[in-house]
Amino acid sequence: MTYVITQNCCNDASCIAECPVDCIRPTPEERARFASAEMLYIDPDSCIDCGACVDACPVGAVSYEDELTDPQRRFLEFNAGYFAQYPLVPTYDTARIVKLDGSRGELRVAIVGSGPSGAYVAEELLSRGQVKVSVYDALPTPWGLLRSGVAPDHQHTKDLAAIFEKTADKAALELHLNVAIGTDVSVDELLASHHAVVLATGAADAQPWDLPGADLTGVSSANDFVAWFNGHPDASDKVFDLSCERVVIVGNGNVALDVARVLTMSRDELLKTDIADHALEALSNSSVREVVVLGRRGPLQAAYTSPEFYALGFLPGVEVVIDEGEAELDELSRALVDGGDVSYAEQLKAGLAGEYAAKTRTGAERRIVFRYLSEPARVLGADRVEGVEIAHTRLREQDGSLVTERTGESEELVAGLVLTSVGYRGRPIDGVPFDEARGVIPNDDGRVVAAPGLYATGWIRRGAKGGLGSSRVDAEEVVDHLVNDFNAALLSDPSTEAQSVAAIGLDGWRAIDQHERSAGQSVGRPRVKLVTVPDLLEAARG
């Protein structure tokens, strides 16, 4: 028997360090493979059934083989398939961790952003020696995308917050919520009162979308839609017209799948989640019956991960629809597969698309339709969205890479709502260098360029790629550099005490958390979110 990693995997890598036989892959030391991994895998031939990974997993993604549900049993094949392509070679090394030089005294660090990338930095810093950490966030609530970005039906992923809560409870950490950097306190002021400042502000803005008709009413970013149904205070007052029967999502990454899933879930399924009440009511009364997901490349190059794609097939009352012609690989993609030049994850995604295409249609009330080698040419309508003109694309080689070009063929699709999921970018911060073209803070392996004492981590460091596991690896690397710089006396000592600002601390957040959980318990839900800043502040005081 063996343990198996399933869909909920967050790539946190906590399990890797705990495995006594080193049978979980890829490891953070396999840089490129880990950065692109959809999930982690347990080698079935090496696992000794000790259960250490189960205790270490923060999101409950590891199950014993005999305890798998019928849908989960497919993950046995997924785990074994990975090691068929990448045979196990032990690599994990815990000896590389850089510790603080105790003779230098206490290291004081400010972290801007309390999402996973910032929380991992805090956890990592506190494991290195004598450190005092101050975490700042503009919202009255912590944990960033775990609260406002992770889909409400992915409660196991949100369980990662329990790990961050333990870190926040340590005496060496202070939480400063409802504090806006640049308004309430500046980066320069933080630098004056700390040895270093780590910027972990993420990628909050959607990439701009320049297309004829993009300014019509009914065109929005998936980013805004996710913030709306998750109850982010900046988006709680937005309105999305769900009176149409068809929605088109441009882009086919995991965010697109989250949006498609939420748009097609029944009220009964939504009631099991912590979706914001205003979104629950709007979606419960929605007329949407079909969501079309557009990807300009083929099924082999789709941006979503195979676990999320596979899980769509088990949504109650929802049918995943792919025409057989859409699932067929083009000549260039087929040549890559035949030549062994694609990863196991890519092959798996293409294979799953073929399985969906081969299924007999059930005539379910709601449908998620995948279209490949398709991109929007323009949004149709006079004052608001009435449809989308879809241009067909094909792949071609250019400088050793596959790029897309339009074939000249197109079609029109009636739709009442268009959501773009084409990527994210960071926001500039006053007094901090910023790369406008890439939407990131320019940095040298985490050290902010031409700004001693400033560091960047997560998506604001490397762009909106990678998941929670990548943020953990970022944290380890950035903390290594920061501690090395401190040990080498390259960081200026604090010249002032931290400026006093009105903030919500850990007790205030716990009052909010208890309020929401109690409200949820009374109606059988994980929590009922407060979605405006005044309501959150009132609960924090309560």
Side-chain angles (χ1 to χ4, degrees):
M1 294 295 178
T2 184
Y3 282 94
V4 184
I5 298 178
T6 60
Q7 176 197 351
N8 301 320
C9 179
C10 67
N11 290 33
D12 169 271
S14 297
C15 55
I16 293 174
E18 298 301 321
C19 178
V21 293
D22 192 23
C23 70
I24 303 175
R25 292 293 181 277
T27 71
E29 276 62 36
E30 301 171 277
R31 299 290 184 188
R33 197 172 296 165
F34 185 88
S36 62
E38 297 182 341
M39 58 182 288
L40 303 181
Y41 305 89
I42 296 175
D43 179 26
D45 295 329
S46 304
C47 177
I48 60 173
D49 300 359
C50 68
C53 54
V54 178
D55 295 333
C57 180
V59 296
V62 186
S63 297
Y64 197 55
E65 182 178 350
D66 279 353
E67 298 172 351
L68 294 172
T69 64
D70 285 342
Q72 288 176 327
R73 294 200 67 80
R74 190 73 185 275
F75 284 94
L76 284 167
E77 174 191 325
F78 296 168
N79 276 256
Y82 176 85
F83 289 99
Q85 183 172 21
Y86 306 113
L88 184 68
V89 178
T91 62
Y92 192 71
D93 176 20
T94 57
R96 61 165 188 79
I97 296 174
V98 181
K99 290 289 187 178
L100 281 167
D101 178 355
S103 66
R104 295 272 300 128
E106 182 181 72
L107 169 63
R108 289 164 58 179
V109 179
I111 300 172
V112 180
S114 68
S117 58
Y120 278 132
V121 168
E123 180 185 14
E124 195 65 33
L125 277 167
L126 294 174
S127 71
R128 301 297 181 95
Q130 191 177 357
V131 184
K132 181 72 173 179
V133 177
S134 300
V135 179
Y136 294 83
D137 201 292
L139 289 177
T141 55
W143 318 143
L145 286 180
L146 275 188
R147 179 178 173 92
S148 61
V150 172
D153 59 326
H154 279 17
Q155 289 298 309
H156 282 297
T157 303
K158 292 172 183 274
D159 287 344
L160 187 63
I163 303 296
F164 300 156
E165 293 278 359
K166 292 179 181 178
T167 301
D169 201 31
K170 295 181 178 179
L173 187 145
E174 289 184 352
L175 202 56
H176 304 270
L177 304 174
N178 200 43
V179 177
I181 303 304
T183 302
D184 299 318
V185 63
S186 70
V187 170
D188 285 343
E189 287 170 332
L190 291 180
L191 276 172
S193 55
H194 298 82
H195 292 95
V197 175
V198 180
L199 303 169
T201 51
D205 293 337
Q207 289 285 5
W209 197 53
D210 184 17
L211 198 74
D215 57 347
L216 289 174
T217 300
V219 177
S220 185
S221 71
N223 186 33
D224 284 348
F225 192 71
V226 169
W228 171 76
F229 67 59
N230 271 324
H232 192 293
D234 292 347
S236 59
D237 60 349
K238 291 186 179 295
V239 177
F240 296 90
D241 185 357
L242 303 178
S243 63
C244 58
E245 290 193 2
R246 180 184 287 131
V247 176
V248 172
I249 302 176
V250 180
N252 63 2
N254 278 354
V255 172
L257 267 58
D258 287 345
V259 171
R261 212 171 51 249
V262 168
L263 279 167
T264 53
M265 289 172 67
S266 67
R267 179 180 176 85
D268 287 345
E269 292 299 313
L270 291 171
L271 281 169
K272 300 174 185 176
T273 76
D274 64 352
I275 193 168
D277 276 355
H278 57 258
L280 173 64
E281 292 309 309
L283 290 161
S284 297
N285 296 303
S286 166
S287 298
V288 175
R289 293 296 176 266
E290 180 174 289
V291 178
V292 179
V293 181
L294 295 182
R296 60 193 177 94
R297 300 175 186 271
L300 189 70
Q301 297 85 18
Y304 51 69
T305 60
S306 49
E308 294 299 316
F309 188 43
Y310 170 69
L312 289 179
F314 299 95
L315 280 177
V318 179
E319 183 174 31
V320 177
V321 176
I322 302 176
D323 287 341
E324 289 188 0
E326 294 275 347
E328 290 180 2
L329 296 183
D330 65 284
E331 184 177 340
L332 291 175
S333 296
R334 173 54 59 190
L336 289 174
V337 171
D338 292 342
D341 294 325
V342 297
S343 69
Y344 171 69
E346 290 170 320
Q347 293 182 60
L348 182 55
K349 284 189 283 192
L352 289 171
E355 291 180 18
Y356 281 128
K359 283 186 177 180
T360 303
R361 301 284 171 83
T362 64
E365 182 182 4
R366 295 177 298 280
R367 300 159 27 117
I368 300 175
V369 181
F370 285 85
R371 297 288 305 273
Y372 301 102
L373 295 175
S374 302
E375 67 179 17
R378 60 190 176 113
V379 182
L380 307 173
D383 299 317
R384 62 163 296 108
V385 173
E386 297 175 11
V388 179
E389 180 184 341
I390 297 174
H392 296 181
T393 62
R394 60 180 164 233
L395 296 175
R396 64 179 177 85
E397 287 188 86
Q398 179 177 299
D399 299 327
S401 300
L402 292 183
V403 298
T404 61
E405 63 182 10
R406 294 184 181 180
T407 66
E409 298 178 355
S410 64
E411 60 183 287
E412 293 185 0
L413 194 65
V414 174
L417 180 64
V418 175
L419 299 172
T420 63
S421 184
V422 293
Y424 304 89
R425 56 183 282 115
R427 293 175 182 170
I429 302 170
D430 287 346
V432 178
F434 191 71
D435 184 337
E436 286 287 353
R438 297 178 57 217
V440 299
I441 294 172
N443 66 92
D444 181 8
D445 207 19
R447 294 182 176 97
V448 177
V449 173
L454 276 185
Y455 301 80
T457 189
W459 282 3
I460 196 65
R461 167 191 173 184
R462 55 185 159 79
K465 294 181 180 179
L468 296 173
S470 297
S471 292
R472 177 150 204 163
V473 173
D474 269 4
E476 293 175 353
E477 292 178 343
V478 168
V479 170
D480 278 348
H481 294 321
L482 195 160
V483 171
N484 274 325
D485 292 347
F486 178 74
N487 288 344
L490 297 177
L491 302 178
S492 299
D493 290 333
S495 58
T496 66
E497 290 298 316
Q499 186 169 339
S500 177
V501 292
I504 293 175
L506 182 59
D507 288 343
W509 156 240
R510 285 185 170 160
I512 295 170
D513 187 42
Q514 181 59 40
H515 177 100
E516 292 183 339
R517 289 182 184 275
S518 296
Q521 188 174 20
S522 66
V523 292
R525 299 177 61 198
R527 70 172 66 232
V528 173
K529 287 182 175 178
L530 299 171
V531 299
T532 68
V533 170
D535 286 346
L536 288 164
L537 295 179
E538 182 178 352
R541 299 187 193 102

